[in-house]
Amino acid sequence: MAADSLPPCEKFEPVSPTKEVHDFVSLRTVDLATYDDGPAARQKIAQDIHEAMTTQGFFYLVNHGLSEEQISRQVDIGHHILKNTPEEEKQALRAPMVEEGSYHGFKPRGHWRTAGNVRDKVENFNISRDMTRREQPKVMTPFKPEIQNFIDYTHKEILFKILHLFGIALKLDDEMLFVKMHSYEGHDETWLRYMKYYDDYTEEEKKSTGGLWMIGHQDFTSLSILFSQPMASLQVRDYQSTEWKFVEHIPGAIIVNAGETMMWWTGNYFKAAIHRVFQPPQDQRGRERCSVFYFCVPNDEVVINTLLEQSPVLRDAGVEMAHELDKAPTSKEWSNGRIAITGRNAVWDKKGEDQNVTEEKVGSVTTRWFR
Ligand SMILES: O=C(O)CCC(=O)C(=O)O
Ligand SMILES: [Fe+2]
């Protein structure tokens, strides 16, 4: 669709890039430009992924086929929906996070807690690739075809390519195994997220949070696809030094990270990036941050455990099974369980041995929070 024939939408005004941060985390870049050039070309990209995933668990993805305009249009649509949906309708379309362990719908501010037990200032609107699963807000109606195209492209053209490359990197017997586990026609909790952070903390709240907007965590996903945006606020914790560093904005790039599902599949051979969201530097404060994400989990029935039988790379690395055979969760059990508990407990009130990590049980498995 030509840009001038698109339905009108309020524009989101992003902050200008910061001039105050000079030591951004150094992340590798994976370039999809040669993906269609045959097995040798794909092998080379898979090596880059292998490098990135065994070190930071985070990488930039370029030449993925979506333009900067297409991405910023999605940011505008997210802003438009979050700004113009009446409060009552947001309440009616609230995501059943605790009741069903699903994000599909609106997550209001304050549902999560951050440091010091302060309630979050983050609003989300989350959509399944099957939009018929939930009633959608009225203001979204004119944008539905565009949103569906964006989701479909991200799932089939970006996610599937990355998953294929992950299969090559692990030398899986069937290099399309991960793709098959995320079948587009299948049913699961994968979600497109429009996300707004509001920088309106009181002085007292700022003191309690120390500037933390979202607690350190690993996503529970297989892969998370973050569309880069200009507010310096996403931080990665270095695996070796445990130092937190800002991720630099690269216009048009996607930031990809693996979550706990990928960590379990690979027996922690591929790192699930530890990250958090922190208040930006002074020159970007007091402004809204609006961004777009695609969070991916496998189809509901997929049992998640380490792929030792399928991957000589994992066997050579000598990794151990993540779960005992009868304790491995299905994607549905894990997703629903993890969504239901996220941000609900005052995790820092029960400090563990390591003062910067605390654990929480989700059914038969354990998740961790970081600071
Ligand atoms: O806002 C961000 O950049 C990251 C958000 C995040 O980590 C999450 O929603 O899991
Ligand atoms: Fe995250």
Side-chain angles (χ1 to χ4, degrees):
M1 230 191 284
D4 55 7
S5 66
L6 294 173
C9 176
E10 274 196 46
K11 276 203 85 58
F12 177 73
E13 284 304 328
V15 288
S16 302
T18 177
K19 295 194 174 60
E20 292 177 31
V21 181
H22 304 288
D23 60 340
F24 289 104
V25 62
S26 156
L27 297 182
R28 286 179 174 75
T29 298
V30 170
D31 188 341
L32 283 184
T34 55
Y35 176 87
D36 288 321
D37 294 354
R42 285 198 279 276
Q43 185 63 45
K44 210 165 161 298
I45 316 175
Q47 271 165 12
D48 292 337
I49 288 186
H50 184 275
E51 269 296 304
M53 293 318 294
T54 47
T55 50
Q56 295 285 31
F58 246 120
F59 58 84
Y60 290 110
L61 187 77
V62 297
N63 289 313
H64 45 70
L66 290 172
S67 66
E68 272 182 62
E69 291 68 34
Q70 284 169 307
I71 296 169
S72 61
R73 169 79 180 169
Q74 285 299 313
V75 173
D76 292 345
I77 290 174
H79 166 67
H80 188 97
I81 294 172
L82 286 166
K83 184 162 175 216
N84 296 305
T85 303
E87 213 43 56
E88 269 165 39
E89 198 183 3
K90 284 183 181 170
Q91 281 294 333
L93 304 180
R94 193 180 200 278
M97 292 169 283
V98 175
E99 303 82 350
E100 294 173 35
S102 175
Y103 276 135
H104 300 153
F106 287 91
K107 183 210 83 73
R109 296 192 222 192
H111 177 80
W112 297 324
R113 286 160 218 238
T114 177
N117 221 5
V118 173
R119 289 188 179 275
D120 75 87
K121 313 246 180 230
V122 187
E123 204 179 10
N124 296 169
F125 176 57
N126 306 297
I127 314 172
S128 166
R129 64 183 174 280
D130 177 0
M131 288 186 196
T132 63
R133 276 173 69 177
R134 293 248 195 273
E135 188 184 330
Q136 306 296 348
K138 288 194 190 46
V139 297
M140 177 175 147
T141 307
F143 308 109
K144 270 188 180 171
E146 262 180 277
I147 298 172
Q148 190 74 61
N149 284 344
F150 187 81
I151 291 178
D152 292 356
Y153 187 89
T154 303
H155 197 103
K156 294 179 186 173
E157 299 295 330
I158 300 178
L159 173 67
F160 280 176
K161 282 181 188 150
I162 309 171
L163 288 170
H164 181 194
L165 293 162
F166 268 68
I168 298 172
L170 293 168
K171 296 192 170 64
L172 296 184
D173 301 338
D174 174 2
E175 36 181 71
M176 299 307 274
L177 181 65
F178 287 135
V179 173
K180 291 174 186 167
M181 287 171 163
H182 295 74
S183 157
Y184 179 86
E185 290 72 30
H187 188 280
D188 53 63
E189 291 298 331
T190 297
W191 70 106
L192 179 80
R193 168 173 289 176
Y194 298 119
M195 189 165 197
K196 270 260 188 109
Y197 291 75
Y198 300 90
D199 188 3
D200 52 8
Y201 290 86
T202 62
E203 286 308 316
E204 199 176 321
E205 284 173 332
K206 279 186 200 165
K207 232 181 260 160
S208 304
T209 61
L212 190 63
W213 283 5
M214 183 187 281
I215 208 154
H217 63 281
Q218 293 167 305
D219 291 348
F220 71 88
T221 55
S222 48
L223 289 176
S224 302
I225 293 177
L226 324 177
F227 293 91
S228 187
Q229 60 70 51
M231 188 179 282
S233 39
L234 175 62
Q235 293 189 323
V236 184
R237 195 178 87 152
D238 187 90
Y239 259 89
Q240 256 72 48
S241 69
T242 71
E243 196 186 339
W244 293 98
K245 285 198 170 176
F246 282 114
V247 174
E248 188 170 17
H249 171 50
I250 299 189
I254 286 174
I255 300 155
V256 177
N257 70 269
E260 288 162 296
T261 299
M262 184 60 72
M263 174 177 91
W264 291 337
W265 271 332
T266 64
N268 204 20
Y269 184 67
F270 282 174
K271 307 294 175 218
I274 299 169
H275 57 286
R276 69 181 186 184
V277 183
F278 203 79
Q279 72 174 353
Q282 206 68 48
D283 61 358
Q284 294 185 322
R285 296 228 178 119
R287 297 279 304 273
E288 287 180 11
R289 176 192 194 252
C290 188
S291 38
V292 184
F293 305 83
Y294 195 61
F295 290 104
C296 309
V297 291
N299 298 144
D300 284 345
E301 66 285 357
V302 171
V303 177
I304 309 161
N305 211 345
T306 310
L307 300 169
L308 271 177
E309 265 181 39
Q310 295 84 346
S311 167
V313 173
L314 298 179
R315 289 198 294 275
D316 289 350
V319 304
E320 289 176 11
M321 294 299 275
H323 310 299
E324 290 170 40
L325 288 187
D326 59 341
K327 300 234 167 89
T330 62
S331 177
K332 181 172 171 53
E333 286 162 349
W334 168 234
S335 303
N336 293 158
R338 176 60 154 66
I339 290 168
I341 58 119
T342 292
R344 302 301 287 166
N345 304 321
V347 286
W348 297 110
D349 293 346
K350 4 174 205 162
K351 289 197 178 103
E353 251 169 60
D354 180 341
Q355 297 288 292
N356 293 321
V357 184
T358 189
E359 295 190 339
E360 205 171 350
K361 278 293 243 190
V362 182
S364 61
V365 300
T366 302
T367 194
R368 289 182 299 163
W369 310 99
F370 303 82
R371 64 173 175 187

